[in-house]
Amino acid sequence: MLEPRRCAQAMAGGDAVELSDHGLKLSIDRRKGRASSLVSQLVDGIAEAIGQRRILSGEKLPSVRQMAMHLQLSTFTIAQAYQRLVSLGMIASRPGAGFIVASQVTMEPAPQLRVPPSGPNDAWLLSEVFSDQTASIKAGCGWLPSGWLDGIEFGRALRSLSRTMKSQVGGYGQPFGDASLRSRVAFELARFGVPADINSVLITQGATQAIDLVIRFLLKPGDVVVVEDPCYCNLLERLKLARVQLLFVPRTPAGLDTDVLEALVQKHKPKALFVSSALHNPTGTSITLPMAYKVLQIAQRTQMLIVENDVSRGLAPPDTPMLAAMAGLGPVIHIGGFSKTISPLLRVGFIAADAATLEALVHLKMVTGLTSSAVTEKAVHQILVDSAYRQHLERLRHRLADVHTQIERKLCAAGVELFHRPRGGLFLWGRLPIDPAEAREVTARALRQGIWLAPGMYFSASDTASAWFRFNVAYCDTDRFWQFLSAL
C-alpha cells in the first residue's frame, strides 16, 4: 500500500504530501478564494498520477482515515474525492479492502473531423461541426467566443438557484415557461414599443425550437412561404422538412428588395414571410425604417403573416427597427433568444404573439418536447435583472464595432469583397477572390488546416456554387486565418 508522508518543502500556496513509495506529490492549496475546491485538487492530483502511470493498476491507495490524517483534511473531503474518482473509473472500491487503482483503458486518439466525400454541405454543418473540436479557428461559426461573455455572472445566478430550487427538483417546469422570465421578456419588448405582457410570451428551448413550433403551427405541405436570400441555414432546413414551396426575395444592405417582394406576393399570395430585422444571419445587415414600413404595407395589403427572427437584437443599435413594435403582435410573430448575448449553452428562447396563437403553440410545445428547463429559465431571468447585464451589452456592442473595423480592413486587403459594413453584430458577408465552383474545395482545404469556413451554399436552398462566405468577426483575427486567405 502507498504510505503518505509530509514533505519538508512547502509547495507554492500550500502543502505538499508525498506518497513515499512512488514519489507522488499532492499539492494542497488551503487559501481562501482558491481556484478549485480541496476535493477537486485531490481528484486532479491523483488522476494525473494515474494517467501518467506513476501509480499502476491494482495498487492500493491509503485508507480514507490515513489520507485525512496525513493531509490534515476531514475524512468527508477524502471520501468525496475517492468517490468522484470511482465515478470517473480511475479507482475501484473493494469491500473490506479499501480503494485500488482501476485497470486503465488505453484512450484512442481524438477522431479527425469527418467530412463527406462530396465536400462540406448544409447537412454536414448541422450534424458534425457543432460537436467537433478539431477546427480551432471557427471563422464561420454563429456564436461569440467564451471569453467575450465574461461579464455574465453565471456563477452567482447558479449559486442563488441552488439555494432556492431545492424543493422543486422533483417536478417539470411550466408549460409557458418561468413566469418571472416571461414577465421580464415582455418588459424588454415593451421598451421597444411592442404591446406585450406576460400573456404574450412563450419560453422555448432556444430560438430553434421557437422556429420549429411556429412552422408546425402555421404551415402545411404545399403552402407558399417567402424567405430571404441568403437565409439562415437552420430555418431553410426546417422549412424543407415542412415540404412548403419556398420563394426567395434578395436581401439588400437596407433590408429586403421590396420590388421583388411585391411581385412575389401579388402573384403567389404567400402565407408567411420569414424575415430578420436586426443583424441578419448571414449578411449582418439590419432593416432600415423606410424599408420596414414598405414590408409592413405589402404584408397588410395581402394579409401575409410576418415571422420576425430577432435573435441578435441585444447586439444591435437601440434604434434598429422592430417589426413587432411597428405592427403589433398579431400581424407579426416575434422570435428572440439569448444565445448571442448570454450563452448558447442555456438554450433559452421565446415567442411573442397574440393570445390565440400562443395557446396553440404551447400545446405543440408540450406534445413535441414537454416543458423547457426551469433551471436555465430562472438563471436567464436572474442575469437579465442584474444591472451588470446592460453594461455587458454595451461592452459587447463597442467591442464588436471595434473588431468590425479591423476585420473589414483586413478582409478588403486580402481581396475579399464586402456586401455591407454593419459595424455591429457577429457577421460580415464577403466574396472571396475565387471561382464559385471552388467554394467546396476551399472550405474542405480550410478544414484540413483547422479553419471552419461557412460558404454561401449553406444559406441557399438551391445549394448552388457561390464565392460568398459568412465571417464571424470575433474569430477571424488570427495569423493562420490571414495566411490561409493570402494563399488563395
Side-chain angles (χ1 to χ4, degrees), residues 20 32 69 79 92 122 138 147 169-170 270-271 317 387 442 447:
S20 58
K32 290 184 178 180
M69 179 183 65
D122 49 4
K138 295 178 171 60
V169 294
K271 193 165 188 178
S387 60
V442 167
L447 280 171

Side-chain angles (χ1 to χ4, degrees), residues 29-330:
D29 186 349
R30 305 170 190 274
R31 295 173 300 181
K32 290 184 178 180
R34 57 188 175 267
S36 59
S37 68
L38 294 170
V39 172
S40 295
Q41 292 178 57
L42 286 170
V43 170
D44 291 344
I46 296 173
E48 180 183 6
I50 294 172
Q52 295 178 357
R53 299 192 178 278
R54 298 201 302 270
I55 310 177
L56 300 179
S57 299
E59 291 195 67
K60 188 176 180 181
L61 293 175
S63 70
V64 170
R65 187 177 299 278
Q66 287 173 319
M67 187 69 91
M69 179 183 65
H70 285 279
L71 293 180
Q72 296 182 2
L73 296 173
S74 72
T75 55
F76 178 75
T77 298
I78 305 300
Q80 272 196 310
Y82 278 7
Q83 288 303 324
R84 191 179 298 179
L85 287 163
V86 169
S87 299
L88 293 171
M90 306 293 290
I91 66 175
S93 174
R94 298 289 174 84
F99 295 90
I100 67 169
V101 179
S103 298
Q104 298 303 298
V105 178
T106 302
M107 298 298 292
E108 296 294 331
Q112 294 297 310
L113 185 64
R114 295 177 295 165
V115 182
S118 59
N121 53 35
D122 49 4
W124 171 88
L125 173 69
L126 292 172
S127 63
E128 296 292 338
V129 81
F130 283 92
S131 61
D132 180 69
Q133 301 299 319
T134 61
S136 57
I137 301 174
K138 295 178 171 60
C141 78
W143 55 88
L144 283 168
S146 297
W148 287 50
L149 301 172
D150 289 343
I152 299 297
E153 293 288 348
F154 281 115
R156 185 162 62 188
L158 294 175
R159 285 193 298 272
S160 175
L161 289 177
S162 69
R163 294 191 295 269
T164 60
M165 293 194 67
K166 290 181 180 179
S167 62
Q168 304 174 40
V169 294
Y172 285 89
Q174 295 299 314
F176 279 92
D178 180 71
S180 58
L181 178 58
R182 292 167 61 209
S183 179
R184 185 68 192 188
V185 169
F187 172 79
E188 296 292 340
L189 289 173
R191 291 178 62 247
F192 287 100
V194 180
D197 58 26
I198 189 173
N199 297 313
S200 308
V201 177
L202 170 67
I203 305 300
T204 60
Q205 297 173 39
T208 300
Q209 188 194 34
I211 290 171
D212 180 67
L213 293 176
V214 169
I215 290 173
R216 289 174 186 267
F217 166 66
L218 283 181
L219 306 174
K220 62 182 185 296
D223 282 346
V224 180
V225 177
V226 179
V227 296
E228 302 160 301
D229 185 20
C231 182
Y232 172 46
C233 55
N234 216 358
L235 172 60
L236 278 178
E237 289 301 302
R238 186 58 192 85
L239 289 170
K240 289 177 186 177
L241 289 176
R243 294 182 292 164
V244 297
Q245 180 184 347
L246 294 176
L247 303 175
F248 295 91
V249 56
R251 185 79 186 194
T252 71
L256 296 174
D257 187 325
T258 51
D259 291 336
V260 173
L261 177 63
E262 181 83 66
L264 290 175
V265 169
Q266 290 298 329
K267 181 177 181 180
H268 299 280
K269 302 296 187 291
K271 193 165 188 178
L273 164 67
F274 286 78
V275 62
S276 177
S277 52
L279 302 173
H280 170 250
N281 184 357
T283 66
T285 59
S286 296
I287 196 167
T288 63
L289 190 59
M291 187 66 65
Y293 276 117
K294 290 181 182 178
V295 170
L296 291 173
Q297 288 169 355
I298 293 170
Q300 184 180 27
R301 286 198 297 269
T302 58
Q303 296 187 328
M304 176 180 65
L305 188 67
I306 294 176
V307 181
E308 183 178 33
N309 186 357
D310 210 30
V311 295
S312 292
R313 174 65 55 176
L315 301 177
D319 60 348
T320 303
M322 181 187 288
L323 298 175
M326 298 171 67
L329 300 175

Side-chain angles (χ1 to χ4, degrees), residues 456-475:
M457 61 190 177
Y458 292 169
F459 309 97
S460 170
S462 63
D463 202 31
T464 55
S466 170
W468 289 92
F469 284 72
R470 182 186 74 181
F471 297 101
N472 185 328
V473 297
Y475 285 88

